Amino acid sequence: MNDTSGADAQAGSGRDETLARAVRLREGGSREEARALLLALSERHPDDPEVAYQTAWVHDTLGLEAEALPHYVRAIQHPGLSDEDRRGALLGLGSTYRVLGKYPEAVATLRDAVAEYPDDGALRTFLAMALYNTGQTHDAMAILLNLIAATSPDPDIAGYRPAIEHYAKDLDATC
């Protein structure tokens, strides 16, 4: 009987160390070096959502959105991401669709993400941008107005919060 648990543990350890090194490199500005490590790691672990997310992220930081796209898709297709990483992957995917001019896909991705994480202001902001790109300006403005009303520390805005929230429901409302 062969015991492969030691080999599996070593393989996992190598993955973890390489992934951590790649993240440090990306965060330190050595994005091309991080990209090379992550592409190799992604080949060895094609169904690993964390590797896919980090690979997508490094491509995004390099302005390689088209190359980031399939990694984002893989990252959210497989279970295992932390909540924080899942939010980041959904935002990255929606934003990448938007940057690539795939506006309907951006809206669909970001709507689903906002439904999953309704309190995430960044997701709502990116959804508003994608809605704008599809000509849904009223919906985009409503999202942004509600976000500003709910989150702004500006006392002048806070004083008008009820009015802002009212008009967010119907920007065309008059007396």
Side-chain angles (χ1 to χ4, degrees), residues 108-172:
T109 299
L110 292 164
R111 273 196 203 279
D112 289 348
V114 167
E116 191 171 338
Y117 301 103
D119 296 329
D120 190 305
L123 286 170
R124 290 188 287 162
T125 301
F126 278 82
L127 173 58
M129 288 188 281
L131 288 167
Y132 168 83
N133 293 125
T134 60
Q136 299 175 66
T137 55
H138 280 82
D139 291 343
M141 281 295 297
I143 289 169
L144 293 177
L145 287 171
N146 281 315
L147 187 61
I148 288 169
T151 63
S152 178
D154 184 325
D156 294 327
I157 291 175
Y160 287 100
R161 183 177 179 171
I164 294 169
E165 289 173 337
H166 169 76
Y167 288 116
K169 291 176 189 168
D170 184 2
L171 286 169
D172 297 316

Side-chain angles (χ1 to χ4, degrees), residues 48-119:
D48 185 316
E50 190 177 7
V51 170
Y53 174 48
Q54 293 299 330
T55 305
W57 191 348
V58 78
H59 281 87
D60 254 353
T61 65
L62 289 165
L64 302 172
E65 287 84 1
E67 289 88 345
L69 189 63
H71 299 287
Y72 278 129
V73 170
R74 275 199 346 269
I76 66 166
Q77 284 178 337
H78 299 287
L81 285 178
S82 69
D83 242 16
E84 181 181 347
D85 284 352
R86 180 161 172 80
R87 285 178 194 227
L90 289 166
L91 190 143
L93 178 60
S95 174
T96 298
Y97 277 138
R98 186 183 158 278
V99 167
L100 294 173
K102 297 175 181 249
Y103 303 131
E105 293 90 337
V107 169
T109 299
L110 292 164
R111 273 196 203 279
D112 289 348
V114 167
E116 191 171 338
Y117 301 103
D119 296 329

